Amino acid sequence: VLNSQEPRLRRYFHPVLRSTDVSSGPAAGRLLGERLVAWRTNDGHVHAAIDRCPHRGAALSGGWVDDGCLVCPYHAWAYGPDGRACHIPQLDEGVPIPPKARIGVVQATERYGFVWIALDEPIGDVPDFSEITEPGWRVIPEFFETWHASAARIIDNSLDIAHTAIVHRATIGDFSKPRVHPYDVSRTVDGLSARVPVDAQGVEAQGASDNGAALRDVIVEIKGPFAFVARITYDSGAAHVIYTIATPIDDRESLFVQFVARNDAADDDSDRDTVALDRRVTLEDQRILELTDPDFPLDVTTEVHLRCDRVTVEYRRYLHELLRPVGVLGRATP
Ligand code: FES
Ligand SMILES: [Fe+2]
């Protein structure tokens, strides 16, 4: 099973904080069981480290930033972006800074309004959501919150087609249409892709021109271990793209991150409706996910699957190859 001890998860970038969290001083975050601190230097760059001072174990996130250095709130030792102490106020004159006075820096980079952190040497870059940085696209921020569910379960749910008719019967689902139309799944350079037909209703808030239930092609993608993108294109040409990222905080908790991008003209009322609908939908998912087993089987013989589960079966195979590339269960794409 997959859990937060999986070493290769430490080598992917995960969003841990919002850019705004580090605008006025250091901020605390958590990733894969580690407590982290992130801070911004004078040049605007964000840096991150294990949130533990080597002197007496204080949390550096409770400190402050002075001239680009992270200052511990306990005895004011200051650390530079390379992790080394650059100033120790109590040090006797002429005595060098002890070489062990250094914090464990980790890789941090800022993209799409988030601070992405990789704990060990990164395997890949931050997921490519490049369309949202192109002109004509705007981003509608939605959620950045802790869920009591594992990251793999959250992303698995985003890919899961059959649950919509059941879990979302009060919002976008149609309980009378539980069957899933046939679809294909394929691998991409950075993950998985599928074009899935979805029976959805009540999605006028997203700009659907028809008001009733409709069958729509939704292109879903997985990038890296836990980034999900769903692309819906309406007859008008407007595209509605949902980005869902789950950051594994530990075995049982995840950061649930979601935002939407649209390429039509800004409309505050319709954006509010989009967020309100997605709030109801995500609460429906959260209720189910917080009661799922956080351990996520990568061996596809562990669970029971139907034909309609192809994309989530493929997600298990994909994660297995990504995280345990030499494992005996790793299989080529069918
Ligand atoms: S514990 Fe950080 S400076 Fe003493
Ligand atoms: Fe859902």
Side-chain angles (χ1 to χ4, degrees):
V1 295
L2 172 64
N3 59 33
S4 69
Q5 303 307 306
E6 197 75 33
R8 278 173 84 95
L9 283 178
R10 299 171 60 91
R11 301 185 57 187
Y12 285 89
F13 280 104
H14 307 272
V16 173
L17 289 158
R18 288 165 293 209
S19 289
T20 49
D21 295 330
V22 284
S23 54
S24 61
R30 286 190 297 151
L31 174 62
L32 295 164
E34 303 276 12
R35 294 189 175 276
L36 299 169
V37 55
W39 77 102
R40 200 184 288 281
T41 43
N42 297 340
D43 58 6
H45 287 127
V46 172
H47 305 270
I50 304 296
D51 193 10
R52 187 178 186 282
C53 181
H55 178 221
R56 290 294 180 265
L60 298 154
S61 52
W64 60 92
V65 177
D66 184 15
D67 198 24
C69 289
L70 177 62
V71 184
C72 178
Y74 202 175
H75 311 92
W77 292 20
Y79 300 93
D82 63 353
R84 283 211 290 258
C86 43
H87 181 65
I88 295 182
Q90 301 82 11
L91 204 63
D92 291 326
E93 222 166 302
V95 174
I97 286 176
K100 279 170 72 181
R102 64 157 64 215
I103 55 175
V105 292
V106 293
Q107 292 231 23
T109 184
E110 216 171 351
R111 205 84 52 87
Y112 318 123
F114 302 102
V115 178
W116 299 73
I117 294 177
L119 295 173
D120 292 336
E121 189 55 33
I123 294 172
D125 199 1
V126 169
D128 179 13
F129 304 146
S130 49
E131 68 271 12
I132 63 176
T133 58
E134 283 167 15
W137 286 87
R138 67 202 158 84
V139 172
I140 308 167
E142 287 202 321
F143 316 116
F144 188 90
E145 61 201 19
T146 304
W147 283 19
H148 201 72
S150 66
R153 291 286 179 199
I154 292 173
I155 299 306
D156 190 50
N157 167 262
S158 297
L159 283 172
D160 188 293
I161 306 164
H163 87 284
T164 302
I166 315 301
V167 172
H168 302 305
R169 59 190 177 276
T171 52
I172 58 170
D174 184 344
F175 196 75
S176 70
K177 294 180 182 163
R179 289 211 176 76
V180 173
H181 304 266
Y183 62 92
D184 286 316
V185 188
S186 56
R187 295 291 175 103
T188 60
V189 281
D190 53 357
L192 282 184
S193 173
R195 178 187 288 264
V196 294
V198 176
D199 277 312
Q201 59 176 7
V203 291
E204 308 85 68
Q206 295 176 355
S209 43
D210 45 62
N211 280 346
L215 183 65
R216 278 194 192 83
D217 268 348
V218 179
I219 296 177
V220 298
E221 283 181 287
I222 291 290
K223 292 165 183 278
F226 303 132
F228 165 88
V229 184
R231 196 176 310 270
I232 306 156
T233 308
Y234 295 109
D235 300 341
S236 61
H240 183 98
V241 189
I242 303 168
Y243 301 81
T244 306
I245 309 132
T247 295
I249 290 174
D250 58 28
D251 280 340
R252 289 172 186 280
E253 290 202 325
S254 304
L255 203 53
F256 177 78
V257 181
Q258 188 165 293
F259 54 93
V260 166
R262 289 189 66 107
N263 64 352
D264 55 359
D267 176 342
D268 291 346
D269 282 344
S270 124
D271 289 358
R272 251 193 305 279
D273 290 347
T274 293
V275 177
L277 173 65
D278 287 346
R279 178 75 288 176
R280 291 174 64 203
V281 170
T282 52
L283 283 172
E284 290 166 342
D285 287 321
Q286 187 180 10
R287 266 195 295 277
I288 298 289
L289 291 172
E290 294 199 335
L291 295 172
T292 53
D293 180 352
D295 287 345
F296 189 80
L298 293 182
D299 175 353
V300 297
T301 64
T302 310
E303 296 161 306
V304 188
H305 314 285
L306 299 180
R307 180 189 52 78
C308 66
D309 296 321
R310 269 197 68 194
V311 63
T312 47
V313 169
E314 202 53 33
Y315 180 52
R316 283 155 178 72
R317 292 196 180 119
Y318 162 74
L319 274 183
H320 193 283
E321 289 166 31
L322 201 69
L323 302 173
R324 300 180 193 162
V326 293
V328 287
L329 291 165
R331 286 175 53 170
T333 314

Short mmCIF file of all heavy atoms in Angstrom, two decimals, residues 73-123:
data_model
loop_
_atom_site.label_atom_id
_atom_site.label_comp_id
_atom_site.label_asym_id
_atom_site.label_seq_id
_atom_site.Cartn_x
_atom_site.Cartn_y
_atom_site.Cartn_z
N PRO A 73 13.32 32.38 17.04
CA PRO A 73 12.72 33.22 18.08
C PRO A 73 13.28 32.95 19.48
O PRO A 73 13.03 33.72 20.41
CB PRO A 73 11.24 32.85 18.02
CG PRO A 73 11.23 31.44 17.53
CD PRO A 73 12.38 31.34 16.57
N TYR A 74 14.05 31.87 19.66
CA TYR A 74 14.49 31.48 21.00
C TYR A 74 15.76 32.24 21.42
O TYR A 74 15.77 32.92 22.45
CB TYR A 74 14.72 29.96 21.00
CG TYR A 74 14.66 29.29 22.36
CD1 TYR A 74 14.77 27.89 22.44
CD2 TYR A 74 14.50 30.00 23.54
CE1 TYR A 74 14.71 27.24 23.66
CE2 TYR A 74 14.44 29.35 24.77
CZ TYR A 74 14.55 27.97 24.83
OH TYR A 74 14.50 27.32 26.03
N HIS A 75 16.85 32.16 20.62
CA HIS A 75 18.08 32.87 20.97
C HIS A 75 18.60 33.71 19.80
O HIS A 75 19.76 34.11 19.79
CB HIS A 75 19.16 31.90 21.41
CG HIS A 75 18.70 30.92 22.45
ND1 HIS A 75 18.20 29.68 22.12
CD2 HIS A 75 18.64 31.00 23.80
CE1 HIS A 75 17.84 29.03 23.22
NE2 HIS A 75 18.10 29.80 24.26
N ALA A 76 17.73 33.88 18.79
CA ALA A 76 18.02 34.79 17.67
C ALA A 76 19.20 34.37 16.79
O ALA A 76 19.85 35.22 16.19
CB ALA A 76 18.17 36.23 18.15
N TRP A 77 19.50 33.08 16.73
CA TRP A 77 20.47 32.65 15.74
C TRP A 77 19.83 32.88 14.37
O TRP A 77 18.64 32.61 14.18
CB TRP A 77 20.81 31.16 15.90
CG TRP A 77 21.56 30.83 17.16
CD1 TRP A 77 21.63 31.58 18.30
CD2 TRP A 77 22.34 29.64 17.40
NE1 TRP A 77 22.40 30.94 19.25
CE2 TRP A 77 22.85 29.75 18.72
CE3 TRP A 77 22.63 28.52 16.65
CZ2 TRP A 77 23.64 28.75 19.29
CZ3 TRP A 77 23.43 27.53 17.21
CH2 TRP A 77 23.95 27.65 18.51
N ALA A 78 20.63 33.34 13.42
CA ALA A 78 20.08 33.67 12.09
C ALA A 78 20.68 32.74 11.05
O ALA A 78 21.89 32.45 11.08
CB ALA A 78 20.40 35.12 11.76
N TYR A 79 19.83 32.27 10.14
CA TYR A 79 20.26 31.31 9.13
C TYR A 79 20.04 31.88 7.73
O TYR A 79 19.00 32.47 7.44
CB TYR A 79 19.46 30.00 9.27
CG TYR A 79 19.67 29.37 10.63
CD1 TYR A 79 18.80 29.64 11.67
CD2 TYR A 79 20.74 28.51 10.85
CE1 TYR A 79 18.98 29.07 12.93
CE2 TYR A 79 20.93 27.93 12.11
CZ TYR A 79 20.05 28.21 13.14
OH TYR A 79 20.25 27.66 14.38
N GLY A 80 21.01 31.65 6.86
CA GLY A 80 20.90 32.09 5.48
C GLY A 80 20.19 31.05 4.63
O GLY A 80 19.91 29.94 5.09
N PRO A 81 19.90 31.40 3.38
CA PRO A 81 19.17 30.47 2.48
C PRO A 81 19.92 29.16 2.22
O PRO A 81 19.31 28.17 1.83
CB PRO A 81 19.04 31.26 1.18
CG PRO A 81 19.35 32.67 1.49
CD PRO A 81 20.18 32.69 2.73
N ASP A 82 21.24 29.14 2.46
CA ASP A 82 21.98 27.88 2.30
C ASP A 82 21.88 27.01 3.55
O ASP A 82 22.42 25.91 3.58
CB ASP A 82 23.46 28.17 1.97
CG ASP A 82 24.18 28.90 3.10
OD1 ASP A 82 23.51 29.31 4.08
OD2 ASP A 82 25.41 29.08 3.01
N GLY A 83 21.23 27.53 4.58
CA GLY A 83 21.02 26.77 5.80
C GLY A 83 22.03 27.06 6.89
O GLY A 83 21.81 26.73 8.06
N ARG A 84 23.14 27.67 6.53
CA ARG A 84 24.19 27.91 7.52
C ARG A 84 23.85 29.11 8.40
O ARG A 84 23.31 30.11 7.92
CB ARG A 84 25.52 28.16 6.82
CG ARG A 84 26.16 26.89 6.32
CD ARG A 84 27.66 27.01 6.35
NE ARG A 84 28.14 27.95 5.35
CZ ARG A 84 28.69 27.54 4.18
NH1 ARG A 84 28.84 26.27 3.93
NH2 ARG A 84 29.09 28.44 3.31
N ALA A 85 24.22 29.01 9.70
CA ALA A 85 24.04 30.16 10.59
C ALA A 85 24.97 31.26 10.12
O ALA A 85 26.16 31.03 9.87
CB ALA A 85 24.33 29.77 12.02
N CYS A 86 24.42 32.47 9.96
CA CYS A 86 25.26 33.58 9.53
C CYS A 86 25.49 34.55 10.68
O CYS A 86 26.40 35.37 10.64
CB CYS A 86 24.66 34.28 8.32
SG CYS A 86 22.90 34.53 8.43
N HIS A 87 24.68 34.42 11.73
CA HIS A 87 24.89 35.30 12.89
C HIS A 87 24.39 34.59 14.15
O HIS A 87 23.29 34.05 14.18
CB HIS A 87 24.15 36.62 12.69
CG HIS A 87 24.33 37.57 13.81
ND1 HIS A 87 25.56 38.14 14.14
CD2 HIS A 87 23.47 38.05 14.73
CE1 HIS A 87 25.42 38.92 15.19
NE2 HIS A 87 24.15 38.89 15.57
N ILE A 88 25.23 34.59 15.18
CA ILE A 88 24.85 34.03 16.48
C ILE A 88 25.17 35.10 17.53
O ILE A 88 26.34 35.39 17.79
CB ILE A 88 25.63 32.72 16.77
CG1 ILE A 88 25.22 31.64 15.76
CG2 ILE A 88 25.39 32.26 18.20
CD1 ILE A 88 25.87 30.28 15.96
N PRO A 89 24.11 35.74 18.08
CA PRO A 89 24.36 36.92 18.92
C PRO A 89 25.22 36.63 20.16
O PRO A 89 25.95 37.50 20.62
CB PRO A 89 22.95 37.36 19.35
CG PRO A 89 22.01 36.65 18.47
CD PRO A 89 22.69 35.45 17.92
N GLN A 90 25.15 35.40 20.71
CA GLN A 90 25.85 35.10 21.96
C GLN A 90 27.30 34.66 21.75
O GLN A 90 28.02 34.41 22.73
CB GLN A 90 25.11 33.98 22.72
CG GLN A 90 23.66 34.29 23.08
CD GLN A 90 22.70 34.02 21.92
OE1 GLN A 90 23.06 33.43 20.91
NE2 GLN A 90 21.47 34.50 22.08
N LEU A 91 27.72 34.55 20.51
CA LEU A 91 29.05 34.00 20.22
C LEU A 91 30.15 34.94 20.74
O LEU A 91 30.09 36.16 20.54
CB LEU A 91 29.18 33.85 18.69
CG LEU A 91 30.18 32.83 18.17
CD1 LEU A 91 29.79 31.42 18.61
CD2 LEU A 91 30.20 32.89 16.64
N ASP A 92 31.15 34.37 21.44
CA ASP A 92 32.27 35.20 21.92
C ASP A 92 33.07 35.72 20.72
O ASP A 92 33.17 35.05 19.70
CB ASP A 92 33.17 34.37 22.83
CG ASP A 92 32.47 34.02 24.14
OD1 ASP A 92 31.68 34.87 24.63
OD2 ASP A 92 32.70 32.91 24.66
N GLU A 93 33.62 36.86 20.92
CA GLU A 93 34.37 37.50 19.83
C GLU A 93 35.52 36.61 19.36
O GLU A 93 36.21 36.01 20.18
CB GLU A 93 34.91 38.85 20.29
CG GLU A 93 34.75 39.92 19.23
CD GLU A 93 34.96 41.31 19.80
OE1 GLU A 93 34.22 41.67 20.75
OE2 GLU A 93 35.86 41.99 19.30
N GLY A 94 35.69 36.52 18.07
CA GLY A 94 36.78 35.73 17.52
C GLY A 94 36.51 34.25 17.41
O GLY A 94 37.31 33.52 16.84
N VAL A 95 35.36 33.81 17.95
CA VAL A 95 35.02 32.38 17.89
C VAL A 95 34.23 32.13 16.60
O VAL A 95 33.28 32.86 16.33
CB VAL A 95 34.20 31.95 19.13
CG1 VAL A 95 33.73 30.51 18.99
CG2 VAL A 95 35.01 32.15 20.39
N PRO A 96 34.64 31.15 15.80
CA PRO A 96 33.90 30.91 14.55
C PRO A 96 32.53 30.29 14.82
O PRO A 96 32.31 29.66 15.87
CB PRO A 96 34.80 29.93 13.79
CG PRO A 96 35.63 29.26 14.84
CD PRO A 96 35.77 30.22 15.99
N ILE A 97 31.65 30.46 13.84
CA ILE A 97 30.31 29.86 13.93
C ILE A 97 30.46 28.34 13.85
O ILE A 97 31.14 27.83 12.96
CB ILE A 97 29.42 30.41 12.79
CG1 ILE A 97 29.02 31.85 13.12
CG2 ILE A 97 28.18 29.53 12.58
CD1 ILE A 97 28.24 32.56 12.05
N PRO A 98 29.88 27.58 14.80
CA PRO A 98 30.03 26.11 14.75
C PRO A 98 29.47 25.57 13.44
O PRO A 98 28.37 25.97 13.02
CB PRO A 98 29.19 25.61 15.94
CG PRO A 98 28.91 26.81 16.77
CD PRO A 98 29.04 28.02 15.91
N PRO A 99 30.20 24.66 12.79
CA PRO A 99 29.72 24.14 11.49
C PRO A 99 28.38 23.42 11.60
O PRO A 99 27.63 23.35 10.63
CB PRO A 99 30.83 23.19 11.04
CG PRO A 99 31.80 23.08 12.17
CD PRO A 99 31.52 24.15 13.17
N LYS A 100 28.08 22.88 12.77
CA LYS A 100 26.80 22.16 12.91
C LYS A 100 25.62 23.10 13.09
O LYS A 100 24.48 22.64 13.17
CB LYS A 100 26.88 21.18 14.08
CG LYS A 100 27.58 19.88 13.68
CD LYS A 100 27.89 19.00 14.87
CE LYS A 100 26.64 18.36 15.46
NZ LYS A 100 26.99 17.53 16.63
N ALA A 101 25.91 24.38 13.20
CA ALA A 101 24.82 25.37 13.33
C ALA A 101 24.23 25.61 11.95
O ALA A 101 24.47 26.65 11.32
CB ALA A 101 25.34 26.65 13.95
N ARG A 102 23.50 24.63 11.46
CA ARG A 102 22.84 24.79 10.15
C ARG A 102 21.49 24.07 10.16
O ARG A 102 21.32 23.05 10.82
CB ARG A 102 23.73 24.32 9.01
CG ARG A 102 24.07 22.84 9.01
CD ARG A 102 24.46 22.35 7.63
NE ARG A 102 25.68 22.98 7.10
CZ ARG A 102 25.88 23.26 5.81
NH1 ARG A 102 24.92 23.03 4.94
NH2 ARG A 102 27.02 23.77 5.40
N ILE A 103 20.58 24.63 9.40
CA ILE A 103 19.25 24.04 9.32
C ILE A 103 19.13 23.22 8.02
O ILE A 103 19.90 23.43 7.08
CB ILE A 103 18.13 25.11 9.40
CG1 ILE A 103 18.33 26.19 8.31
CG2 ILE A 103 18.12 25.73 10.80
CD1 ILE A 103 17.21 27.21 8.26
N GLY A 104 18.19 22.30 8.01
CA GLY A 104 18.03 21.43 6.85
C GLY A 104 17.18 22.08 5.77
O GLY A 104 15.95 22.01 5.80
N VAL A 105 17.85 22.71 4.81
CA VAL A 105 17.08 23.36 3.74
C VAL A 105 16.56 22.32 2.75
O VAL A 105 17.18 21.29 2.51
CB VAL A 105 17.90 24.44 2.99
CG1 VAL A 105 18.20 25.63 3.88
CG2 VAL A 105 19.18 23.87 2.42
N VAL A 106 15.41 22.62 2.21
CA VAL A 106 14.80 21.76 1.19
C VAL A 106 14.46 22.64 -0.01
O VAL A 106 14.43 23.87 0.11
CB VAL A 106 13.53 21.05 1.72
CG1 VAL A 106 13.88 20.05 2.81
CG2 VAL A 106 12.50 22.06 2.22
N GLN A 107 14.20 22.02 -1.15
CA GLN A 107 13.93 22.81 -2.36
C GLN A 107 12.54 23.42 -2.32
O GLN A 107 11.56 22.72 -2.04
CB GLN A 107 14.03 21.90 -3.59
CG GLN A 107 15.44 21.44 -3.82
CD GLN A 107 15.88 21.70 -5.25
OE1 GLN A 107 15.32 22.56 -5.94
NE2 GLN A 107 16.88 20.96 -5.68
N ALA A 108 12.48 24.72 -2.60
CA ALA A 108 11.19 25.41 -2.64
C ALA A 108 11.13 26.27 -3.88
O ALA A 108 12.14 26.85 -4.29
CB ALA A 108 11.01 26.27 -1.40
N THR A 109 9.97 26.33 -4.48
CA THR A 109 9.79 27.18 -5.64
C THR A 109 8.35 27.69 -5.64
O THR A 109 7.45 27.04 -5.12
CB THR A 109 10.14 26.43 -6.95
OG1 THR A 109 10.04 27.33 -8.05
CG2 THR A 109 9.25 25.24 -7.19
N GLU A 110 8.18 28.87 -6.20
CA GLU A 110 6.86 29.49 -6.16
C GLU A 110 6.24 29.41 -7.55
O GLU A 110 6.87 29.81 -8.53
CB GLU A 110 7.06 30.96 -5.78
CG GLU A 110 5.99 31.51 -4.92
CD GLU A 110 6.37 32.89 -4.41
OE1 GLU A 110 7.52 33.32 -4.57
OE2 GLU A 110 5.47 33.53 -3.85
N ARG A 111 5.03 28.90 -7.64
CA ARG A 111 4.36 28.80 -8.94
C ARG A 111 2.85 28.81 -8.71
O ARG A 111 2.35 28.17 -7.77
CB ARG A 111 4.78 27.50 -9.64
CG ARG A 111 4.69 27.46 -11.14
CD ARG A 111 5.89 28.03 -11.87
NE ARG A 111 7.15 27.46 -11.43
CZ ARG A 111 7.68 26.34 -11.93
NH1 ARG A 111 7.06 25.65 -12.86
NH2 ARG A 111 8.85 25.93 -11.48
N TYR A 112 2.13 29.50 -9.58
CA TYR A 112 0.66 29.56 -9.55
C TYR A 112 0.13 30.06 -8.20
O TYR A 112 -0.97 29.66 -7.77
CB TYR A 112 0.04 28.19 -9.87
CG TYR A 112 0.71 27.45 -11.01
CD1 TYR A 112 1.23 26.18 -10.81
CD2 TYR A 112 0.83 28.02 -12.27
CE1 TYR A 112 1.87 25.49 -11.83
CE2 TYR A 112 1.46 27.34 -13.30
CZ TYR A 112 1.98 26.08 -13.08
OH TYR A 112 2.60 25.40 -14.10
N GLY A 113 0.91 30.85 -7.49
CA GLY A 113 0.43 31.39 -6.22
C GLY A 113 0.65 30.49 -5.03
O GLY A 113 0.11 30.74 -3.95
N PHE A 114 1.44 29.42 -5.22
CA PHE A 114 1.72 28.50 -4.11
C PHE A 114 3.22 28.31 -3.94
O PHE A 114 3.99 28.49 -4.88
CB PHE A 114 1.08 27.13 -4.36
CG PHE A 114 -0.40 27.18 -4.55
CD1 PHE A 114 -0.96 27.10 -5.83
CD2 PHE A 114 -1.25 27.37 -3.47
CE1 PHE A 114 -2.33 27.18 -6.03
CE2 PHE A 114 -2.63 27.45 -3.66
CZ PHE A 114 -3.17 27.36 -4.94
N VAL A 115 3.61 27.92 -2.74
CA VAL A 115 5.00 27.53 -2.48
C VAL A 115 5.05 26.02 -2.57
O VAL A 115 4.39 25.31 -1.81
CB VAL A 115 5.45 28.00 -1.08
CG1 VAL A 115 6.88 27.53 -0.80
CG2 VAL A 115 5.34 29.52 -0.95
N TRP A 116 5.80 25.52 -3.58
CA TRP A 116 5.92 24.08 -3.82
C TRP A 116 7.23 23.60 -3.20
O TRP A 116 8.28 24.23 -3.39
CB TRP A 116 5.93 23.78 -5.32
CG TRP A 116 4.68 24.21 -6.03
CD1 TRP A 116 4.31 25.49 -6.32
CD2 TRP A 116 3.64 23.35 -6.55
NE1 TRP A 116 3.10 25.48 -7.00
CE2 TRP A 116 2.68 24.19 -7.16
CE3 TRP A 116 3.46 21.97 -6.56
CZ2 TRP A 116 1.53 23.69 -7.76
CZ3 TRP A 116 2.31 21.46 -7.16
CH2 TRP A 116 1.35 22.31 -7.75
N ILE A 117 7.18 22.51 -2.48
CA ILE A 117 8.36 22.02 -1.77
C ILE A 117 8.61 20.56 -2.11
O ILE A 117 7.67 19.75 -2.16
CB ILE A 117 8.19 22.22 -0.25
CG1 ILE A 117 8.16 23.74 0.07
CG2 ILE A 117 9.32 21.53 0.54
CD1 ILE A 117 7.92 24.08 1.52
N ALA A 118 9.90 20.22 -2.35
CA ALA A 118 10.33 18.83 -2.48
C ALA A 118 11.34 18.58 -1.36
O ALA A 118 12.29 19.36 -1.19
CB ALA A 118 10.95 18.58 -3.84
N LEU A 119 11.15 17.52 -0.59
CA LEU A 119 12.01 17.27 0.57
C LEU A 119 13.37 16.70 0.17
O LEU A 119 14.37 16.99 0.80
CB LEU A 119 11.32 16.31 1.54
CG LEU A 119 10.04 16.85 2.20
CD1 LEU A 119 9.37 15.75 3.00
CD2 LEU A 119 10.37 18.04 3.10
N ASP A 120 13.40 15.87 -0.86
CA ASP A 120 14.65 15.31 -1.35
C ASP A 120 14.84 15.73 -2.81
O ASP A 120 13.93 16.29 -3.42
CB ASP A 120 14.64 13.77 -1.23
CG ASP A 120 14.65 13.31 0.23
OD1 ASP A 120 15.11 14.09 1.09
OD2 ASP A 120 14.18 12.19 0.51
N GLU A 121 16.03 15.42 -3.34
CA GLU A 121 16.39 15.79 -4.73
C GLU A 121 15.21 15.56 -5.68
O GLU A 121 14.79 14.42 -5.90
CB GLU A 121 17.59 14.94 -5.15
CG GLU A 121 18.22 15.35 -6.47
CD GLU A 121 18.63 16.81 -6.51
OE1 GLU A 121 19.02 17.37 -5.46
OE2 GLU A 121 18.54 17.41 -7.61
N PRO A 122 14.64 16.63 -6.27
CA PRO A 122 13.42 16.47 -7.07
C PRO A 122 13.62 15.61 -8.31
O PRO A 122 14.65 15.68 -8.97
CB PRO A 122 13.06 17.90 -7.49
CG PRO A 122 13.89 18.79 -6.64
CD PRO A 122 15.08 18.03 -6.19
N ILE A 123 12.61 14.80 -8.61
CA ILE A 123 12.62 13.98 -9.82
C ILE A 123 12.09 14.81 -10.99
O ILE A 123 12.61 14.76 -12.09
CB ILE A 123 11.74 12.71 -9.64
CG1 ILE A 123 12.37 11.80 -8.59
CG2 ILE A 123 11.56 11.98 -10.97
CD1 ILE A 123 11.49 10.63 -8.19
#
